[in-house]
Amino acid sequence: MAATGHNAAAEAKAQGTGLKVIAILAVLTLVEYAIAVTIGKGPMLVTLLTVAALAKTWLILQYFMHLPKLWNPDGGH
Amino acid sequence: MQRHYTTLFVIWAIVTVLTLGAMWAWQPFPTHGALEAAVTDDAFRALLYLGSPVFGLVIAVLFYALWKFRATGPDEDGAYIEGKGALPRVWLGVSAALCALMIVWPGLTGLAELRHLAENPDMVVKVSAARWSWTVEYPEAGVKITGKEPMVLPDDTRIRFDITAVDILHAFWVPAFRLKVDAVPGMTTSVTVNAHGEGDAETDAAYRLQCTELCGLQHANMAMPVRVVSEDEFKTWLREKQAKAAVR
Amino acid sequence: MRPLINALVLGIAGFAFGAGATGLFRVAVLGREWWSTDLSWSMGYPFALIGWVMGIGGWKYWGRGWFGLPVAPYETTGWRRYLDWNIDHKVIGIQYIVTFVVIFLLSGLTVLLVRLELMRAGMQILTEDQYNAAMSFHGITMVAVAVAILLGGFGNYVVPLMLGARDMAFPNLNSLSYWLTPPVAVLLLIAVAMGGWDSGWTAYPPLSVVNKSGQTLFNLAVFTFGLVSILGGINFIVTIAYERAAGLTWGRLPIFVWGALSASLISFFFTQGFAAALLMVLFDRVLDTSFFDFKNEGSALLYEHVFWFYSHPAVYVMVLPGFAIILEILAHFSRKPLFAYRWVVGAFLGIVALSGVVWAHHMFTSGMADYLHAPFLVLTEMISIPTGIIFLAGLGTIWAGKLWLRTPMLFALSVLFNFTIGGITGIFLADVPTDLHLHDTYFVVAHFHYTIVGGEIFALMAAVYYWFPKITGRMYNETLGKLHFWIMFIGFQLVFIPMFEVGVQGMNRRVADYPAEYNGLNTWITLAALFLGSSFVFFAWNMAMSWVRGPIAEANPWHARTLEWQTSSPPPIHNFDEDPVITGNPYDYGQPRAAAHARLGAAPAAGDSA
Amino acid sequence: MAVASAPAHAEHGHGSTHSRIPINRMGIWLFFFSDALLFAMLAASRFYLTGTERPHELNQALGLGITSVLLLSSLTAYRAETAFEHGNVAHGRAMLLATILMGAAFAIGVGFEWSIAHWVPSDPFGTAFFSMTGMHALHVVSGVLFLIVVYVRAGKGHFPVGNTWAVTSMVMYWHFVDVVWVFFYPTLYLV
């Protein structure tokens, strides 16, 4: 099974998704760092950082941890 | 069925009246030593009276069911009543209304009254708690007392206590005054009391400054006697204290 | 006995490893004494816990599988199953029930000591230190019993049966949860032997930070217990979501399952609050952090917020299964459908939701910001609305029923009485003006005993008598049962009604001594407490004797419709010989045309006639 | 977590009638949620104690560095899971190894941060900093240990296509640890 059932196309597609997600995550992290450096402190910074962290969490939950499989076991990512 | 409900209603009325009577006769309160006592005790009474018909209803249904709806085995079934009709809605409406009433009165109104009574105090007393004793300071007179010496307060005066602790949590409570607040280290909490009527710890346990937040070994004995005296007597006492402090 | 010995040996070895490694680090790197009670216990205990769980069978039957190694076949039979790792939910349920009944009785004896000390003003039989230790021990053990016995004990035994499942969703996790509880009891007893801790069950800092070392053991024990609670909660939620028999829709679930689900949701959502609070105290004690050290900008109020964020919802973990059990029993013993079933489910879920937003009513006198008083007053009093619905269901169910007054029914009816008093007096404590006087007085003690003992422990007794024939296959003695009920019921009123009065009069709680003015009522309370305590002699005697040689019980002595009664008593290892199919509602009494609740395989279920 | 791999289950529960995977998945998600609450309490305490100020200058380069390493390890963990699901064991193991190494690097980074910290645990920020990073590092280290077990088992061919739940669950745990850091990084370094 291990070698013969190897569905190369599907695997490549899934791995591609991972690369896209990590790219967005990296950008978001850099954005976080950049706004922290530029704004310094205050409620605006806290709000923006919260938004960025929630966005990152959503990406990881959705694509890396396959949250949708909870209610849709066969589908999702 | 009609007959059942009539009898139930009569029993409910009787139980409620009896409960109300018992609650009216019940006098558990310690001495009224402050205007605040009237607020809290009135709220207490109001809740007792509001609770009586509720209590009465439960007792009446329980009693009636035990009296009339008995069986000796599982062979016979009761009436098929699913409770899907209007009753739950009515019950929800009535209980929500009762709840709203209790929130507003005596809850929020009492809270507002207490806040009103706390405005613009006549004098400030500083209280400091430590394991396991109280230290009370009259900053204007420069008098400080501690240990088992009584804290003396003037009658008919609005007194704000500024309370803190030096080590761990304690709580300030004089049963005659009703109000209570924690003594928190690193923080000043306050409680305002309108002393009303003279009293002495010698004859009345309600006049004691009792710690009510568990503070370890001697928690139970962490109490300072309280005396409420007339304003003149209070001034005399303060002067004596000042004189003694000067000699030392 | 083998598993127990293995567990003890590995537990001690684990402790030696953890504490030893820490000691070595302290000597070699820091150049200090090798032993430091707080730190050595904190580091030794986790390894002791791992050793204990592995020794009892967690490694042999479960852990090996994680590493791809073959697990041992399970061969233990008879009573030895109860002293071994076992994944049968029925065995685990009995383990919980017996363990916590024993702790309950032990804690009850402790409180009699406390009451004897309080019989007169002044110190008589205990020192202040011993008093605080006894009072704290009573507090935490009874909280643990109240949290675990209904959900862990009867929940484990009955819920899978009611669902028509063969077991819980995670049987090994279930066994792990149970086997984490003996170390909790052992740790608390060692803490008492070391001189106890004097901060009560609430363990407020800064006292709990500067307290003696028994506090560290307390924190470790209760942290472990929190883990039990969370793992158990997760297991119930998943079981109820995924292991229901065919045809068992959400609208057909017996109400006890809903109670167990609601309580599990609460312990799952909120227990981490207590865990976090205990962990912070532990950090302050052993790692020199300053969460609560006011000299370093720490805050004692932080603990109170985090602590009550769990510990208020915890009371619903205790009483919701209690309510559910009595509603169950009221329906079966009145031979009537449960009144307003859907409303009750709504009320349970409403309580789950509200429970998370009322915690600060424990803090009206704590010195927290003034503007928080009014909102928490409003939210807290709103809890009376769903609770009222539960009362409607109870009263509506017995109305026009055919009440069969066996012992379980008597206990169930008494809950309605007790909780009325408990509920109404709760309003006094939610109401800020009265609470400012009543907070931390005996009024509070009376109130929560009326809710937790009156609401839950009476329901527990109802459950014990109700399911006794199912669990043991034997019938209890009805006369002894009724005697137990009447002594307990009357004794309970005699103890706790006067406590309301003495509290209002000005006696504060958790005191070893009090002004002589309160002598009269306290003497009365102590004598009544001895009377109340005597009822448990009848209970223990009845249980022990009936279990060993009571008359053999039928499969369904109460002629109840729910699923657990449709299998043999006690049930076979996989609960049902054939997987049941649910075909009707659980409480359709008095309706001749109603479908049976369940069909077992092809054969018609017993009790269909109902 | 690797609940399903215990054969004792097959005879208990409904075994063949419905799949264990959705049940295990629900269980592990509930565990994550519950554990997340503990971290949330710690993070909330940090704001309660020190407000939204950052009283000390932290080593920003180090912070960004270890954050990037942890984030990147989520990608390798994801790639490992996907590879195992498609029977690509060799690639899966390589990616697992990369994840383990990056996880270890993260833990070492935190240890280094601790050693250069110029604040102490009794300082209010130190209280929050050490307890939050300590709690998180404990999860990282246990995650690394779990991943090592999975790595070794994978080498023995324990995870053929269709039986990769043990890999999936451990990888999910790893992502969870990463999500916690997604919040802790700004909370400790950036605010």
Side-chain angles (χ1 to χ4, degrees), chain D residues 95-153:
Chain D
M95 285 294 118
L96 272 181
L97 189 62
T99 312
I100 292 166
L101 292 176
M102 281 193 272
F106 176 85
I108 292 168
V110 171
F112 180 66
E113 175 78 293
W114 280 28
S115 70
I116 61 166
H118 55 270
W119 54 89
V120 290
S122 58
D123 170 294
F125 181 75
T127 295
F129 178 83
F130 285 108
S131 52
M132 285 166 73
T133 52
M135 229 20 221
H136 183 258
L138 205 63
H139 281 70
V140 170
V141 170
S142 55
V144 166
L145 293 178
F146 293 146
L147 287 173
I148 290 174
V149 171
V150 172
Y151 177 76
V152 172
R153 285 188 64 185

Side-chain angles (χ1 to χ4, degrees), chain A residues 18-73:
Chain A
L19 286 174
K20 279 178 216 154
V21 172
I22 196 74
I24 306 173
L25 286 172
V27 170
L28 279 171
T29 308
L30 288 175
V31 168
E32 274 181 341
Y33 182 75
I35 55 174
V37 171
T38 45
I39 299 185
K41 62 180 173 186
M44 190 61 193
L45 175 63
V46 177
T47 316
L48 287 176
L49 286 180
T50 311
V51 171
L54 286 174
K56 287 163 79 178
T57 305
W58 181 78
L59 282 171
I60 297 177
L61 259 53
Q62 182 78 11
Y63 294 101
F64 282 175
M65 296 173 78
H66 317 292
L67 183 62
K69 282 194 185 173
L70 256 186
W71 45 89
N72 183 13

Side-chain angles (χ1 to χ4, degrees), chain D residues 1 8 23 26 33 38 44 49 52-56 72 74 83 88 95 100 144 167 191:
Chain D
M1 275 145 269
I23 297 178
M26 172 105 172
F33 187 87
L38 182 65
L49 289 174
T52 53
E53 299 286 297
R54 188 172 70 246
H56 296 283
L72 206 56
S74 253
N88 197 345
M95 285 294 118
I100 292 166
V144 166
V167 181
V191 166

Side-chain angles (χ1 to χ4, degrees), chain C residues 40-75:
Chain C
S40 300
W41 271 98
S42 307
M43 297 305 292
Y45 173 71
F47 293 98
L49 200 60
I50 293 169
W52 164 270
V53 168
M54 276 176 27
I56 203 75
W59 171 249
K60 197 163 115 191
Y61 300 121
W62 189 28
R64 289 173 62 91
W66 291 40
F67 295 89
L69 304 170
V71 294
Y74 196 80
E75 280 157 354

Side-chain angles (χ1 to χ4, degrees), chain B residues 1 4-5 8 26-30 39-40 43-44 47-48 51 54-55 57-59 61-62 64-66 69-83 87-89 91-92 95-96 99 102-103 106-108 110-111 114-115 131 165-169 173 175 178-182 184-187 189 203-206 208 210-221, chain C residues 128-129 132 135 198-200 204-207 210 294 300-301 304 334-341 343 365-367 370 373-374 377-378 381-382 384-385 388-389 391-392 395 398-405 413 416-417 420-421 424 427-428 431-441 443 500-501 503-513 515 517-518 558-559 588-591 610:
Chain B
M1 253 347 191
H4 284 314
Y5 288 118
L8 177 70
W26 189 40
Q27 289 293 347
F29 307 110
V39 179
T40 62
F44 192 92
L47 291 176
L48 281 180
V54 178
F55 179 73
L57 181 65
V58 175
I59 299 303
V61 177
L62 268 179
Y64 194 77
L66 283 172
F69 303 129
R70 291 275 283 274
T72 50
D75 307 322
E76 212 184 335
D77 281 355
Y80 185 75
I81 305 170
E82 287 182 292
L87 185 54
R89 287 182 188 82
W91 181 282
L92 182 71
S95 60
C99 175
M102 285 187 306
I103 287 172
L108 295 178
L111 197 57
L114 287 178
R115 290 216 176 121
R131 275 180 292 177
V166 302
D167 43 21
I168 59 171
L169 290 178
W173 185 45
R178 305 296 188 272
L179 307 185
K180 183 182 291 138
V181 75
D182 279 8
V184 186
M187 210 173 127
T189 55
T203 53
D204 190 348
R208 68 185 202 281
Q210 170 74 49
C211 174
T212 49
E213 189 67 72
L214 182 59
C215 61
L217 192 62
Q218 292 293 333
H219 168 57
N221 302 325
Chain C
E128 278 95 348
D129 211 21
N132 282 342
M135 176 270 296
D198 49 12
S199 56
Y204 275 12
L207 174 59
V210 298
F294 68 102
L301 287 187
E304 292 177 48
S334 304
R335 313 289 309 166
K336 271 192 65 200
L338 177 62
F339 193 83
Y341 173 91
W343 289 81
T365 69
S366 69
D370 256 358
H373 285 186
L377 181 158
V378 172
E381 294 205 4
M382 276 169 62
S384 66
I385 299 172
I389 297 283
F391 268 86
L392 169 73
L395 297 176
I398 58 173
W399 183 257
K402 295 285 175 195
L403 273 62
W404 185 25
L405 296 182
L413 289 168
L416 289 179
F417 177 87
T420 309
I421 298 178
I424 290 175
I427 293 167
F428 292 71
D431 181 278
V432 181
T434 40
D435 182 64
L436 292 181
H437 178 54
L438 299 172
H439 182 81
D440 265 342
T441 65
F443 191 93
F500 286 118
E501 171 149 0
V504 183
Q505 280 180 357
M507 179 164 162
N508 52 316
R509 64 191 279 216
R510 292 169 168 158
V511 285
D513 195 5
E517 270 90 338
Y518 312 127
W558 314 121
H559 296 245
D588 275 354
Y589 296 103
Q591 166 68 289

Side-chain angles (χ1 to χ4, degrees), chain B residues 214-236:
Chain B
L214 182 59
C215 61
L217 192 62
Q218 292 293 333
H219 168 57
N221 302 325
M222 185 170 161
M224 177 182 247
V226 176
R227 266 174 62 206
V228 179
V229 297
S230 69
E231 279 190 68
D232 292 340
E233 218 177 311
F234 175 70
K235 278 178 189 147
T236 320

